[in-house]
């Protein structure tokens, strides 16, 4: 058993949330909180992985990134492009021409991230990775990214029940480790965003568990809209109509505060 007064005394100043790379998110009370499950959702190509990578890279906190959706070479290219502002196509060539440069840049910018590249991890695989991280680093990760939810495999049950099982498990892990868990998930393409897909568009109807669900749209060239369609700690608009805007250049993985 625990007392709340002891819990409050144990909280360090400014550590309830992972540092946000976006002031517009902070101003709108959109935060990735420790000990909680947060979700980034959107249709394919909306920029979910870009947002997650930006948070992982720019927050600087010890991170475990489970990249089931993308190969390690792809994530290396994206990370280098994000760190340097160089086009991904040019980064890929530079990795071949000057691998030492690429290695040095990755060490400088993403050494705080440990990666898992199993294409179809099970819940047990994810739990094992967290245990190995703890054993090797002497502490739990502060941020765990799962990219993405539908790639996690289950022994039994249909897709929807499997997704619900995943969310129950990551909620427990978040409480157990006090890590911020960031889950990437798809929305149905049959829903039109105005500008962002509504909360009802989430596959599997699994919006109950996350304390935060941010819906994305990058339909407008050069811009990304982000809407908190669920937010236990701030304002939310389930319809996805209330959004903050980020300047977005996919070719160079640049994602920065735009106009509110």
């Amino acid at each position: 058993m625990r007392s709340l007064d002891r819990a409050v005394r144990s909280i360090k100043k400014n550590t309830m949330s992972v540092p946000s790379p976006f002031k517009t998110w902070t101003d709108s009370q959109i935060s990735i909180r420790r000990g909680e499950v947060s979700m980034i959702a959107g249709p394919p190509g909306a920029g979910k992985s870009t947002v997650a990578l930006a948070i992982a890279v720019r927050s600087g906190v010890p991170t475990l990134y489970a990249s089931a959706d993308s190969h390690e070479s792809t994530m290396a290219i994206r990370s280098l492009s994000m760190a340097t502002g160089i086009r991904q196509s040019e980064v890929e060539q530079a990795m071949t021409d000057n691998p030492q440069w690429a290695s040095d840049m990755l060490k400088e910018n993403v050494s705080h991230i440990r990666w898992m590249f199993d294409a179809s991890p099970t819940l047990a695989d994810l739990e094992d990775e967290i245990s190995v991280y703890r054993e090797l680093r002497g502490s739990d990760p502060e941020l765990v990214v799962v990219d993405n939810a539908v790639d996690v495999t289950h022994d039994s049950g249909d897709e929807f029940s499997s997704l619900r099982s995943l969310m129950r498990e990551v909620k427990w892990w978040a409480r157990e480790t006090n890590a911020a868990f960031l889950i990437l998930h798809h929305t149905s393409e049959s829903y039109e965003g105005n500008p962002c897909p509504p909360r009802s568009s989430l596959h599997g109807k699994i919006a109950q568990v996350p304390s935060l669900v941010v819906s994305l749209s990058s339909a407008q060239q050069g811009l990304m809209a982000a809407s908190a369609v669920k937010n236990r700690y701030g304002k939310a608009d389930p319809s996805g109509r209330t959004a903050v805007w980020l300047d977005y250049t996919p070719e160079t993985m640049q994602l920065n505060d735009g106009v509110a």
Side-chain angles (χ1 to χ4, degrees):
M1 291 186 294
R2 301 178 183 178
S3 64
L4 289 179
D5 62 302
R6 183 176 180 181
V8 170
R9 291 198 303 271
S10 68
I11 296 173
K12 298 179 181 178
K13 186 178 181 181
N14 296 328
T15 59
M16 295 182 70
S17 300
V18 171
S20 175
F22 313 122
K23 184 178 183 298
T24 47
W25 283 34
T26 302
D27 292 345
S28 299
Q29 299 175 298
I30 299 173
S31 60
I32 310 300
R33 298 177 70 91
R34 302 172 195 269
E36 300 275 7
V37 179
S38 300
M39 178 175 287
I40 303 294
K48 299 184 292 294
S49 296
T50 303
V51 171
L53 186 60
I55 292 169
V57 171
R58 292 160 63 178
S59 70
V61 302
T63 298
L64 175 61
Y65 197 120
S67 178
D69 196 48
S70 300
H71 188 266
E72 58 187 307
S73 60
T74 300
M75 295 308 292
I77 292 169
R78 290 176 176 175
S79 297
L80 283 169
S81 190
M82 182 172 288
T84 63
I86 301 173
R87 289 177 177 271
Q88 293 186 60
S89 57
E90 297 174 15
V91 165
E92 185 172 10
Q93 185 62 49
M95 287 172 59
T96 302
D97 296 340
N98 192 350
Q100 186 61 53
W101 167 83
S103 177
D104 290 343
M105 289 297 297
L106 289 170
K107 287 178 181 177
E108 180 180 343
N109 290 279
V110 299
S111 61
H112 60 284
I113 304 175
R114 291 294 178 266
W115 303 86
M116 175 185 182
F117 289 106
D118 190 327
S120 300
T122 64
L123 287 172
D125 292 332
L126 291 171
E127 187 172 16
D128 287 346
E129 286 292 326
I130 293 171
S131 298
V132 169
Y133 185 103
R134 180 187 298 137
E135 183 176 343
L136 293 177
R137 303 296 292 268
S139 60
D140 290 312
E142 296 183 27
L143 173 65
V144 178
V145 179
V146 178
D147 184 4
N148 56 55
V150 296
D151 290 316
V152 179
T153 59
H154 302 262
D155 294 331
S156 60
D158 59 27
E159 180 181 343
F160 291 165
S161 62
S162 297
L163 285 169
R164 289 192 287 269
S165 296
L166 169 65
M167 298 309 294
R168 286 194 298 268
E169 287 294 320
V170 296
K171 179 180 179 180
W172 185 88
W173 292 338
R175 297 290 175 85
E176 180 72 11
T177 63
N178 199 40
F181 272 72
L182 182 58
I183 311 300
L184 277 57
H185 191 42
H186 292 306
T187 58
S188 174
E189 293 183 73
S190 63
Y191 285 80
E192 290 188 10
N194 186 27
C196 298
R199 187 168 71 192
S200 58
S201 67
L202 288 175
H203 280 310
K205 311 300 180 184
I206 55 173
Q208 296 90 341
V209 170
S211 63
L212 172 73
V213 179
V214 177
S215 173
L216 303 180
S217 172
S218 56
Q220 295 189 43
Q221 186 173 1
L223 293 173
M224 176 185 289
S227 176
V229 295
K230 180 183 178 182
N231 191 354
R232 200 169 290 158
Y233 299 96
K235 294 180 179 180
D237 181 357
S239 72
R241 293 189 178 94
T242 304
V244 295
W245 296 87
L246 300 171
D247 293 327
Y248 180 35
T249 309
E251 296 87 350
T252 56
M253 294 292 290
Q254 298 304 292
L255 192 61
N256 297 290
D257 284 307
V259 294

